[in-house]
Amino acid sequence: MNRREFIKTAGLGVIVLAAGKFEVSEGRKKTMEIKAVKLYEKGFMTQPFAMGLEDGEDKFDKSVKYRSSLQNYLIDMGNEVILVDTGMPIETPDMAVDVNAPIYLGSRIDDYMTAFNKLGYKKEQVTKILVTHKHPDHTGELRSFPNAKIYISRVEADAMKLEGDNVVRVDFTDGAYENFEKCQKIADGVYYIFAPGHTTGNSIIIVENDGLHYIIHGDVTYTDEALYQNKLSVATEDKVAARDTLNKVRAFIENHKTVYLSTHTQLGYENLAAKKVVNLNNMPAPIPPAMNYGEQKFSGKYVCSVCGTVYDPAVGDPEHGIPAGTAFEDLPADWKCPRCKQGKDKFNRM
């Protein structure tokens, strides 16, 4: 089979964007472009958070920190614009710096729509949005593109209770792509691939262009150092599926010239700009995060560092028996994030 056809193999949740030149309506050819939509910068994550799922967080050094950020991606196909995820909701308060937190996304650069517009696009140009998973830092502004088709795995769509004529619940019925068993062809050269683990309905995206493969993966790993060291983040819903997905991603990289586009490290857009191909046997030296944050003020609210859910004491969590007026410190020790089920220790002050 040729590169524009589905190829052999085994299964997860990934989106793949395929190669070459694409005809535009005027008959010209335009090279596909992938661009980063930059939202937060100058954050950090700890080694136990990034790598501690299987071995245990206590086996890693919490004083070791990696750079963290938040960015999503945009694919300009020449004749249409496809988004991969849509950032935090604009009303989400900024996370305060807590140097003891497992992850701090960083300071806000722009809200999603401002960052999108700065790239030179209008929302009317977006025809499709590919959602890697349900968390708010990946789905926050789906509402801002009412005319775009939203492609999301059926599992995640049901979890979010997404409804509307523009919501496409994807069942990955187009067969295998390389060593991924289930994919859905989205456009010529664009494939959406089922890759569960981080969430039970997680997906990823692979883009083939000019002899390279670009994996846009959401949160298969939180930092590239974990990819190189073959480690999984504690922010995972299905440990067994996450291991299978990371194995498949690494096997794919071993057999293809791959640029790895992460969501939660600046290495994502740095790799994109340099077209840096992953060599799993040669991990680049980590760059320490900036840690000079100055004096911080706190609002009393807390935000889940994994999915972006905000706990507001004034509201509480009545659905789970927590009345309004309950301070975060007074929540039961076994209370968990209502959305991603992470514990209190994964929440940061705001």
Side-chain angles (χ1 to χ4, degrees), residues 88-93 108 111-114 140-141 143:
M88 284 282 197
I90 190 172
E91 64 270 18
T92 301
R108 192 190 301 257
D111 63 83
Y112 185 87
M113 291 307 299
T114 299
E141 290 301 327
R143 61 193 173 183

Side-chain angles (χ1 to χ4, degrees), residues 198-335:
H198 176 61
T199 63
T200 55
N202 197 72
S203 303
I204 67 176
I205 297 128
I206 299 172
V207 182
E208 297 180 21
N209 190 34
D210 290 339
L212 296 176
H213 296 72
Y214 295 80
I215 292 184
I216 307 174
H217 65 83
D219 301 340
V220 170
T221 60
Y222 269 73
T223 187
D224 292 18
E225 288 85 355
L227 170 72
Y228 283 92
Q229 296 186 38
N230 198 16
K231 301 296 184 183
L232 290 165
S233 171
V234 295
T236 300
E237 288 186 357
D238 188 328
K239 181 176 178 178
V240 173
R243 168 44 59 194
D244 187 46
T245 291
L246 184 55
N247 287 347
K248 286 185 167 69
V249 168
R250 284 170 55 86
F252 184 91
I253 289 170
E254 290 278 13
N255 291 289
H256 302 82
K257 293 181 178 179
T258 302
V259 181
Y260 195 63
L261 303 185
S262 297
T263 297
H264 286 297
T265 170
Q266 289 97 317
L267 287 163
Y269 55 76
E270 291 169 3
N271 291 342
L272 176 61
K275 296 183 179 179
K276 184 176 179 59
V277 172
V278 175
N279 177 354
L280 291 175
N281 297 315
N282 185 22
M283 186 180 82
I287 300 171
M291 297 293 289
N292 183 18
Y293 299 112
E295 184 179 354
Q296 298 294 311
K297 295 182 179 180
F298 302 107
S299 67
K301 299 177 183 179
Y302 282 71
V303 59
C304 178
S305 59
V306 174
C307 74
T309 295
V310 174
Y311 178 78
D312 184 348
V315 176
D317 182 12
E319 186 176 346
H320 297 93
I322 306 299
T326 303
F328 185 84
E329 295 80 2
D330 295 332
L331 290 171
D334 61 352
W335 182 85

Side-chain angles (χ1 to χ4, degrees), residues 23-29 78-79:
E23 295 287 342
V24 296
S25 57
E26 311 92 80
R28 295 183 292 107
K29 287 184 177 181
N79 59 349

